Amino acid sequence: MDQLLRELTLEEKVSLLSGEDFWSVPAVERLGIGKLRVTDGPNGARGGGSLIGGVNSASFPVGIALGATWDVPLVTEIGAALADEVKSKGAHMLLAPTVNIHRSVTNGRNFECYSEDPILTAELAVGYINGLQGQGIGATIKHFVGNESEIERTTISSEVGERALREIYLFPFEHAVKKAGTWGVMSSYNRLNGTFTSEHNWLLATVLRDEWGYDGIVMSDWFGSHSTAPTVNSGLDLEMPGPPRDRGQKLIDAVKAGEVTQETLDKRVLAMLRLMDRVGSLDDHRPFVERADDRPEHRALIRRAGAAAAVLLKNHGILPLTGNGSVAVIGPNAKTAQIMGGGSAQLNAHYRISPWQGLVSALGETRLSYAPGCTNHRFEPLLRGALTVEYFANQTLSGEPVHVGTMEDAQAFWIGQVAEGKVDPLHFSARISGAFTPEVSGEHRVGIYSAGFTKVFVDGRLVADAWTHWTKGRTFFEEGCDEVVGTLDLTAGHAHEIVIEFATKDFATLGLAAFACGIGRPMGDAEISEAVAAARAAETAVIFIGRNGEWDTEGSDLDGILLPGRQNELVEAVAAANPRTVVVLQTGGPVEMPWVGNVAAILQAWYPGQEAGNAIADVLTGAAEPGGRLPQTFPVRWADNPAHSQDREVYPGLEGKVRYEEGIFVGYRHYDKLGMTPLYPFGFGLGYTDFSLSDLVIDDSAFESDGRLVVSLTATNTGARAGATVVQLYVSDDASGEPRPAKELKAFEKLHLQPGEQRSVTMLLDARAFAWYREKARHWLVEAGSFTIRVGQSSADLPLTGQVTRSTTLMLPV
């Protein structure tokens, strides 16, 4: 590497520190240095296409679903499979995993993150990274650090104390560096305590490199660099995407002016060369090819992982479904496969299996009836069908189009090359035309939202106008407006002409142009009555409700955790008609459940990837165990959450700041502190068999000398069928000199046991498991005194306890 570094010119060195385009770092052909390519994750490898369309890819369970598995070997296996996916897209790095903490239940990106707990998050991240990098594909753990909400995320300052940072928010990144040796770290968009993380010297130099010994690269989030010399000097190696905004000639000039030293520049370049060597791009000169590689083994893994993630929250003897009775399949998510969240994690899946399809395969269609009941969409259903697109090399739709193309549906995410390069991607206009033929006559709603100016005309009449009074909203990563909706009556069987006019506008942070247009028919009392009739006529009613990727999405937090639309009303009505009602929830986090006492069973299925319906049907029918346990506490109501406050600076933020007032008391730590009983506790989940834990033994022979413990116990499957459980170990500091949580998860193990099988479980704890971080002294401290070890199957079910004591304090370095 050193010899190659010496051969590079200043211009060539600078070229390696920023993207050439949206997904790649340029080659240096003179020296035979190949191009480095990256692709979005974390629940698949989308490849070089935009967020919409593109080459088909495998869609794996989302982050919170992987968090719910509590299964490090399984997540490692998924990481290795994702390495295959990245290779099929001609890339060398995956922009994953996402390890930000579930601080608030309303964060729009919680679905993409593992947990509210740093230990669970960290261990799963290590498995994911080991799986990826074991196959030669670089991981890019993100977002470093403090991106726990999506509101004003590109500018807001996350105000977080150092103790909370060290104990909660930095911990997964530290684990990834020290235990997995991650090759990539992505800085977050936000500021941390006033300074953008992409130029935060304490974060990138002091903590990451000096204290943790990191030797990989730090790349910016897309358009997340805000300066030239400050980012380079602080430790940001790579500005993405390209062409560069802050580097290129600006960096060349900064080096010549002495604002960036040659030594600092060489450190950044050497890190890039080291990465390119690790991932094999240094000598990769193959033609760029993207494949839609639909592998049977990946299909099987996704299906297995989806079942392993499903959390059975309630079961009054109704699941698994047995016998030959009829089943009413009800709800807005029944015939729609909700497989992933929205934003940069979305991709064009090979296929999508809906719960209806899964149940048809498992039970046969003759046993099933169907009623939608109500809707749960945030935006009107996407207009689909053949559409013609005329592109204009101006922003006024004037003159002759410079290019004519087609669309399969009325949505576009234009970034990079547009219209085969015949228009400036930030300064153009387009006219999209087609037809919509309704199935039912009557009132319809036409919705449009866009990062740009848009109007929708139906049969020549302006129906929805997001142009004249365009206002910034919460779509398209906060570059778009909120949906504008108009209503009109349409005639069944008649092809109504649809024309959408679009023009680009100045962007705030992210240089993109986008729109989506939908047409839908409102549902009302008649549809709920139809669902009630179906439920009453069937032996069992299964309601598929929740949210979708319009709600759980990057770039937009939720307003609360009530189910959208009339879904709660639907559940109440169906449960009143049939006591054998099962609720299947698909969300990226908790929801309030006012009907919890009225239904027989509740299954949380998350967004489990392209095999969603098959995985859900496997669990409902007993072909697979509901293997998941909650990675996030489910509160009774949104107001119980630790981030909920009357002080807007605490959440959602005020005047450019969001203050982490709760400090270390995140998730279950908060509920324990207040003595508050949640709806469902962290780590909770039922199965189709029972387990007992016994014979707790604590070996504390090394506890006084270096703070280590060995904890062992016996787990037994006491039920009649094979199943899974998670043994969870929590530590309590019985008399700390500073406020500490009542208990903290410090170790866990996922077990799969046959009926009657016993297994010994051994868990090792190091000194950090007992330490807290002293901000002023800048070290970790294990205090003298007693600690209680608690072991069980959820944070609220810890029957095995033991106590250990040390007589001296132990100070640990950062």
Side-chain angles (χ1 to χ4, degrees), residues 339-418:
I339 68 173
M340 57 189 162
S344 61
Q346 69 191 52
L347 48 77
N348 189 16
H350 292 300
Y351 56 87
R352 298 165 175 252
I353 304 297
S354 70
W356 171 264
Q357 291 170 299
L359 287 172
V360 167
S361 296
L363 302 178
E365 191 166 0
T366 57
R367 289 178 57 186
L368 308 179
S369 59
Y370 166 71
C374 66
T375 63
N376 67 351
H377 53 70
R378 177 181 174 188
F379 308 119
E380 292 306 314
L382 192 63
L383 171 63
R384 300 186 184 277
L387 300 167
T388 300
V389 191
E390 300 172 294
Y391 295 91
F392 300 85
N394 53 66
Q395 293 170 278
T396 57
L397 296 135
S398 57
E400 292 297 315
V402 295
H403 181 73
V404 178
T406 60
M407 288 180 174
E408 295 180 356
D409 46 42
Q411 62 175 342
F413 191 89
W414 289 300
I415 196 160
Q417 190 179 90
V418 176

Side-chain angles (χ1 to χ4, degrees), residues 453-516:
F453 302 117
T454 44
K455 293 179 180 179
V456 185
F457 299 85
V458 179
D459 295 333
R461 170 189 165 192
L462 177 62
V463 177
D465 184 354
W467 188 312
T468 307
H469 301 291
W470 189 96
T471 303
K472 182 180 178 181
R474 297 186 300 167
T475 63
F476 296 120
F477 312 108
E478 293 189 307
E479 292 287 348
C481 63
D482 291 331
E483 187 180 37
V484 176
V485 177
T487 61
L488 78 168
D489 288 334
L490 299 178
T491 304
H494 176 71
H496 294 271
E497 180 192 46
I498 309 293
V499 174
I500 304 163
E501 294 184 346
F502 175 90
T504 57
K505 62 177 296 296
D506 292 341
F507 60 89
T509 301
L510 309 180
L512 59 89
F515 82 92

Side-chain angles (χ1 to χ4, degrees), residues 44 184 206 220 229 278 304 322 373 407 418 525 600 636 668 682 699 753 794:
T206 302
S220 73
R278 285 169 167 169
R304 175 160 53 92
T322 58
M407 288 180 174
V418 176
D525 294 346
V636 174
Y668 63 89
F682 175 77
D699 177 0
L753 301 181
S794 85

Side-chain angles (χ1 to χ4, degrees), residues 160-417:
V160 195
E162 188 176 351
R163 185 182 174 196
L165 278 171
R166 297 278 190 174
E167 294 188 22
I168 306 293
Y169 299 101
L170 287 173
F171 187 84
F173 295 95
E174 181 183 4
H175 234 50
V177 170
K178 293 181 176 179
K179 294 188 68 173
T182 184
W183 297 340
V185 171
M186 180 186 290
S187 62
S188 53
Y189 282 123
N190 54 278
R191 304 172 195 260
L192 177 66
N193 298 323
T195 302
F196 280 113
T197 63
S198 58
E199 54 191 61
H200 203 297
N201 189 73
W202 176 83
L203 186 63
L204 303 184
T206 302
V207 174
L208 182 61
R209 289 193 168 91
D210 296 344
E211 295 177 0
W212 297 350
Y214 180 60
D215 69 351
I217 71 147
V218 180
M219 71 171 69
S220 73
D221 205 336
W222 268 227
F223 307 105
S225 168
H226 299 274
S227 63
T228 302
T231 62
V232 177
N233 291 333
S234 297
L236 186 75
D237 300 291
L238 178 62
E239 176 200 1
M240 288 298 288
R245 296 200 293 187
D246 296 324
R247 299 194 174 180
Q249 188 60 48
K250 290 181 181 179
L251 180 51
I252 293 171
D253 294 343
V255 173
K256 290 180 177 179
E259 297 170 10
V260 175
T261 66
Q262 190 66 53
E263 179 185 8
T264 298
L265 182 74
D266 286 352
K267 284 182 181 179
R268 305 284 87 83
V269 176
L270 192 59
M272 287 297 299
L273 292 174
R274 188 185 304 121
L275 168 71
M276 296 168 82
D277 183 52
R278 285 169 167 169
V279 301
S281 71
L282 202 61
D283 302 311
D284 187 354
H285 303 290
R286 296 171 296 174
F288 175 56
V289 176
E290 291 188 316
R291 303 188 313 274
D293 202 356
D294 186 6
R295 298 188 177 201
E297 64 270 27
H298 290 180
R299 290 184 170 211
L301 175 59
I302 292 167
R303 183 168 181 167
R304 175 160 53 92
V311 183
L312 186 59
L313 297 175
K314 180 178 181 179
N315 187 21
H316 283 185
I318 192 173
L319 294 178
L321 298 175
T322 58
N324 298 306
S326 58
V327 179
V329 180
I330 294 167
N333 285 354
K335 285 194 172 182
T336 302
Q338 305 295 0
I339 68 173
M340 57 189 162
S344 61
Q346 69 191 52
L347 48 77
N348 189 16
H350 292 300
Y351 56 87
R352 298 165 175 252
I353 304 297
S354 70
W356 171 264
Q357 291 170 299
L359 287 172
V360 167
S361 296
L363 302 178
E365 191 166 0
T366 57
R367 289 178 57 186
L368 308 179
S369 59
Y370 166 71
C374 66
T375 63
N376 67 351
H377 53 70
R378 177 181 174 188
F379 308 119
E380 292 306 314
L382 192 63
L383 171 63
R384 300 186 184 277
L387 300 167
T388 300
V389 191
E390 300 172 294
Y391 295 91
F392 300 85
N394 53 66
Q395 293 170 278
T396 57
L397 296 135
S398 57
E400 292 297 315
V402 295
H403 181 73
V404 178
T406 60
M407 288 180 174
E408 295 180 356
D409 46 42
Q411 62 175 342
F413 191 89
W414 289 300
I415 196 160
Q417 190 179 90

Side-chain angles (χ1 to χ4, degrees), residues 23 38-42 44-47 51 93-95 142 344-345 347:
W23 301 113
V38 304
T39 180
D40 254 330
R46 186 174 62 247
L51 300 188
M93 292 192 79
L94 186 66
L95 306 180
K142 60 187 186 182
S344 61
L347 48 77

Side-chain angles (χ1 to χ4, degrees), residues 42-45 60 77-87 94 128 132:
N43 52 278
F60 285 76
E77 191 178 351
I78 288 172
L82 285 168
D84 294 334
E85 293 293 320
V86 174
K87 292 173 184 177
L94 186 66
Y128 187 104
L132 265 179

